[in-house]
Amino acid sequence: MTAAPARLHLWAMRIGLIGTGRIGSFHAGVLSRHREVGSLVVADTDAARAVRTADRCGATAAPSANEVFAWGVDAVVIASATAAHADLIGRAARAGLPAFCEKPIALDLPGTLAALRAVDEAGTALQLGFMRRFDAGYTAARELVRSGRLGRLHTVRAVTSDPAPPPADYLPLSGGLFRDCLVHDFDMVRWVTGREITEVYATGSDGGHPMFREAGDVDTAAALLTLDDGTLATATATRCNGAGYDVRMELAGELDQVAVGLDDRTPISSTEPKGLPPVDNPWPGFLERFAPAYEAELDAFIRLVQGEAENACDGWEALTALRVAEACELSRREGRPVRLEEIPAG
């Protein structure tokens, strides 16, 4: 049996991080630098990768997730493969530990609901990784909408475009473009506007690489969303935006309109004589574009664990966004509008 290493700082938190892939490795760096984190324990199904991450950021590599739970951590950050999320959330809840988890909780509603019920029964906290809630641009847009500066909001346009497709073996595990990618936009439409999505009408295209068709997925998708006050929103996504990583939101009201994500690294130019010039240094991916937001969400989680802040995005918020994604998948398959009331909420 492997002995637990001694704590580095008795007055600071010990965090367990499960999953050291691309986002997990990023989280490890953020947590290791945080002033309230005295020690960090990391684990991964790829033990060698966990060791490399631990060496890079001064953490301790655990042989497996079992040791993370056994070594007396104060909270758990889950950045593992999606298929393991629900089980790890349940384990954290049963251990009485607050947990932060990358989205999604699970790729289906039953798995999501089971994990959420485990958290509720244990009375622990679960914060979901919808990092855009911590982005300065989206936060400013939310404040403008809520202040009435835009007047009556009538149109919202959300765009998420990846610069290149993911590996083929990722697609069957991703849950599809609506659940894996557009779920962030669905969350932002609700969070920024303060309204609920009541109906969706969605479609998709699989005209790109054959791997999308083989996985039953699409490489490009669009959804028309109707909000509970009649506001109309569109959400589009693609895996094939060769210009770069492009995430934007436009909000148009009777008095004014604003755009989130429009800066000197947005991979778009204008054909007008005095329009936007070509971009020399476009955003290459989500980690670069949202790095400050990822750091802010982990800081919020640490303050939540310490009892200094409310939960910025609990698991039930994630369930709502997943229900919208489920409705979009149903709409795409059946070619019809789908009311959110058709998708079980509990």
Side-chain angles (χ1 to χ4, degrees):
M1 181 175 179
T2 307
R7 281 195 169 191
L8 298 179
H9 301 289
L10 294 176
W11 61 88
M13 296 176 62
R14 162 173 279 180
I15 301 292
L17 170 67
I18 302 173
T20 57
R22 186 179 182 191
I23 188 61
S25 179
F26 182 89
H27 287 336
V30 172
L31 292 167
S32 67
R33 296 189 300 269
H34 198 282
R35 63 190 179 280
E36 301 294 339
V37 177
S39 61
L40 177 65
V41 179
V42 304
D44 195 287
T45 53
D46 182 341
R49 184 166 66 180
V51 169
R52 290 193 298 271
T53 299
D55 289 345
R56 177 180 56 80
C57 63
T60 299
S64 72
N66 293 333
E67 284 76 19
V68 171
F69 288 105
W71 285 357
V73 297
D74 299 306
V76 176
V77 172
I78 301 168
S80 61
T82 296
H85 286 186
D87 176 66
L88 291 170
I89 289 170
R91 291 186 66 179
R94 291 188 293 274
L97 295 173
F100 173 94
C101 185
E102 283 299 325
K103 63 84 189 167
I105 294 173
L107 291 178
D108 58 24
L109 288 171
T112 300
L113 289 167
L116 291 176
R117 288 174 185 140
V119 172
D120 281 356
E121 289 169 6
T124 54
L126 171 65
Q127 180 183 326
L128 259 291
F130 280 110
M131 77 290 185
R132 295 188 195 179
R133 292 185 178 218
F134 299 88
D135 178 73
Y138 283 104
T139 300
R142 185 176 193 261
E143 292 171 354
L144 288 172
V145 171
R146 304 301 179 88
S147 71
R149 156 84 177 274
L150 305 185
R152 182 186 69 86
L153 195 66
H154 53 74
T155 307
V156 180
R157 307 176 190 92
V159 175
T160 293
S161 300
D162 288 336
D169 57 2
Y170 172 77
L171 292 177
L173 307 175
S174 71
L177 193 57
F178 290 106
R179 299 185 190 94
D180 181 52
C181 187
L182 277 164
V183 69
H184 282 289
D185 297 283
F186 302 149
D187 182 64
M188 280 299 93
V189 168
R190 296 180 59 248
W191 189 74
V192 170
T193 67
R195 313 304 308 191
E196 293 298 333
I197 298 166
T198 59
E199 185 177 88
V200 308
Y201 187 38
T203 187
S205 168
D206 61 2
H209 195 283
M211 66 181 179
F212 291 99
R213 292 186 292 279
E214 293 166 2
D217 197 6
V218 293
D219 59 59
T220 303
L224 173 63
L225 316 172
T226 302
L227 309 191
D228 58 11
D229 65 345
T231 300
L232 297 179
T234 58
T236 65
T238 184
R239 303 283 198 187
C240 308
N241 195 57
Y245 184 69
D246 186 8
V247 171
R248 285 176 284 126
M249 175 180 275
E250 298 173 5
L251 299 117
E254 291 183 332
L255 300 180
D256 202 356
Q257 63 178 344
V258 295
V260 178
L262 189 60
D263 61 18
D264 59 0
R265 298 192 67 183
T266 305
I268 190 169
S269 57
S270 172
T271 60
E272 299 299 325
K274 296 183 179 180
L276 298 172
V279 177
D280 294 329
N281 185 29
W283 294 110
F286 63 91
L287 276 181
E288 295 82 5
R289 166 66 177 84
F290 288 109
Y294 279 115
E295 294 194 26
E297 70 176 358
L298 287 178
D299 181 67
F301 175 62
I302 289 170
R303 289 188 289 113
L304 170 67
V305 174
Q306 294 176 325
E308 298 175 355
E310 297 294 321
N311 196 335
C313 185
D314 69 24
W316 294 101
E317 290 288 293
L319 172 66
T320 303
L322 177 60
R323 289 179 63 230
V324 177
E326 293 283 342
C328 286
E329 277 291 355
L330 180 60
S331 176
R332 178 177 76 88
R333 291 196 307 269
E334 298 188 358
R336 65 175 179 89
V338 174
R339 299 280 299 177
L340 259 290
E341 60 199 31
E342 297 181 48
I343 309 299

